[in-house]
């Protein structure tokens, strides 16, 4: 079963966008652009902080598997 985690390898602030990108198998830059759009609508900062708190950090072994899979 696939689980949503914050990324350890593809992160800028907390790894939220990187983790969502890895979960949906899309480029995290697209997710970051969507977050910026939400930021201008007023809900971006609050949504990011909530996601930061709710989404658990990826275990180390999972991060290594993601890096190997991308190569």
């Amino acid at each position: 079963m696939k689980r949503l985690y914050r990324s350890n390898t593809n992160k800028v602030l907390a790894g939220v966008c990187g983790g969502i990108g890895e979960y949906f198998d899309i480029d995290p830059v697209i997710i970051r652009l969507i977050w910026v759009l939400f930021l201008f609508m007023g809900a971006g900062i609050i949504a990011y902080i909530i996601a930061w708190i709710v989404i658990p950090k990826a275990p180390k072994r999972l991060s290594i598997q993601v890096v190997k899979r991308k190569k």
Side-chain angles (χ1 to χ4, degrees), residues 7-65:
S7 178
N8 289 328
T9 57
N10 194 0
K11 67 180 186 177
V12 175
L13 287 177
V16 173
C17 295
I20 293 171
E22 290 171 3
Y23 182 79
F24 289 110
D25 201 26
I26 59 174
D27 191 4
V29 174
I30 296 170
I31 304 297
R32 290 181 184 114
L33 291 173
I34 293 170
W35 280 108
V36 169
L37 290 175
F38 280 129
L39 177 72
F40 288 120
M41 290 191 290
I45 294 174
I46 295 170
Y48 193 88
I49 292 171
I50 291 171
W52 191 345
I53 294 168
V54 172
I55 300 172
K57 194 171 185 180
K60 291 288 184 186
R61 68 179 188 282
L62 183 65
S63 298
I64 294 169
Q65 291 172 353

